Amino acid sequence: MESYVAGRGMTRQTKIRIMVTVTLIMAVSFAFMHQVLIGRMVLIGVWVFHVLYFLFGVKTIPAKE
């Protein structure tokens, strides 16, 4: 996260870890909103934006060896 804050980007592993964590948390929220259609639609929109941002908006830097 230090490199992201400095504006350089994130490693592929960090990006994947963040996307998986957020996806799991949002999936639980999605499951609890089984009767709230608009809530599910909002969650889907936020999730799609989140994934696109991490794929295309955050620069991927090589991992330190």
Side-chain angles (χ1 to χ4, degrees):
M1 294 302 292
E2 179 182 320
S3 61
Y4 176 73
V5 173
R8 293 188 303 264
M10 290 183 186
T11 64
R12 182 177 317 265
Q13 184 66 27
T14 302
K15 288 169 71 171
I16 290 171
R17 189 176 327 127
I18 290 171
M19 286 193 291
V20 167
T21 302
V22 171
T23 298
L24 291 173
I25 291 169
M26 291 183 82
V28 170
S29 300
F30 189 84
F32 282 114
M33 289 192 181
H34 62 282
Q35 293 181 348
V36 186
L37 180 60
I38 191 72
R40 282 183 156 200
M41 292 169 55
V42 169
L43 278 174
I44 290 170
V46 170
W47 179 79
V48 167
F49 177 77
H50 162 77
V51 170
L52 291 175
Y53 175 74
F54 273 89
L55 289 176
F56 302 111
V58 178
K59 182 180 176 185
T60 304
I61 60 174
K64 295 179 183 176
E65 296 182 16

